[in-house]
Amino acid sequence: MVEFITNIDFEILYWMQENLRCAFLDGFAWVLSTCFEAGLLWMALCVVLFVFRRTRPLSVAVTIAIALTFLIGELALKNTICRPRPCHIDPSVSLAVPVPNSYSFPSGHTGSSFAAATALFCFSKKWGIPCLAVATIVGLSRMYLFVHYPTDVLAGVLLGTFAAVVTFLVMKKYGLDKRLENPLLKKRIIMKKA
């Protein structure tokens, strides 16, 4: 079964290499890989969101979701499953990025991107939808770069989404999501009721 899935993974990856590979996409994928390394761009967004009181809970949710994804994916699953990357199996494919040293399953770039984007979506569809589109492109770029299998990326999607939804539900349970509401608007409603 594992061999069958790996064969399908490689078929998809080779198709991408043969049909999509070009200098522009190499450069674009390299930029995405660099910017989203270890959730770097998402964490920069968290810092900006944390500055404003109204969006602080959103910043906390994104940070927790990314941290959960990192702990489960990078520290636990990668070091337990120890799946070699496609570029380790077939070094004949030229890479647009340095060869990563870590294991392949799940995709950390994809996991952190979906953790952040899903957390943002849970709180605000206006922010979440474009971020989910970016997260999807990040996941596809990891396959294009030949550093992750499609199943690695799918696992990253599921793990990041799971971490974000759990984070949102816990915050909602304890009323931490309500702090995103406009405090001035809340005061006006209370004054009208009085």
Side-chain angles (χ1 to χ4, degrees):
M1 184 67 170
V2 173
E3 189 178 335
F4 174 74
I5 292 168
T6 303
N7 287 339
I8 293 172
D9 275 342
F10 269 115
E11 281 183 32
I12 294 167
L13 292 178
Y14 288 137
W15 181 89
M16 292 178 89
Q17 293 300 305
E18 290 166 15
N19 297 288
L20 302 177
R21 195 80 190 260
C22 66
F24 170 76
L25 287 178
D26 281 359
F28 181 67
W30 178 86
V31 168
L32 284 177
S33 183
T34 304
C35 290
F36 290 96
E37 180 72 36
L40 191 62
L41 206 57
W42 298 116
M43 294 313 292
L45 176 63
C46 285
V47 170
V48 172
L49 291 172
F50 195 79
V51 169
F52 303 100
R53 187 174 151 229
R54 187 171 171 265
T55 56
R56 209 165 279 163
L58 181 52
S59 172
V60 171
V62 171
T63 303
I64 292 171
I66 290 173
L68 278 174
T69 303
F70 176 79
L71 291 171
I72 297 168
E74 295 294 312
L75 299 183
L77 291 176
K78 273 193 181 183
N79 295 310
T80 302
I81 296 168
C82 301
R83 185 184 197 186
R85 291 177 184 266
C87 56
H88 297 157
I89 302 294
D90 183 0
S92 68
V93 176
S94 63
L95 301 185
V97 293
V99 177
N101 295 323
S102 62
Y103 292 113
S104 190
F105 186 91
S107 167
H109 281 71
T110 308
S112 62
S113 292
F114 270 88
T118 305
L120 288 161
F121 181 82
C122 287
F123 282 96
S124 167
K125 288 181 183 169
K126 185 175 91 173
W127 284 55
I129 290 171
C131 289
L132 283 169
V134 170
T136 301
I137 294 167
V138 169
L140 291 171
S141 77
R142 301 307 286 165
M143 293 186 291
Y144 173 85
L145 290 168
F146 206 72
V147 292
H148 278 294
Y149 301 97
T151 46
D152 298 340
V153 170
L154 178 61
V157 170
L158 296 174
L159 176 59
T161 302
F162 170 78
V165 169
V166 167
T167 300
F168 175 74
L169 292 175
V170 169
M171 289 184 77
K172 191 174 177 75
K173 180 179 178 179
Y174 292 101
L176 299 173
D177 62 319
K178 300 291 182 203
R179 296 186 66 186
L180 279 176
E181 294 174 5
N182 187 335
L184 295 175
L185 182 62
K186 225 176 192 180
K187 282 181 185 174
R188 285 185 198 145
I189 293 168
I190 291 167
M191 287 172 72
K192 281 182 183 177
K193 283 182 180 176

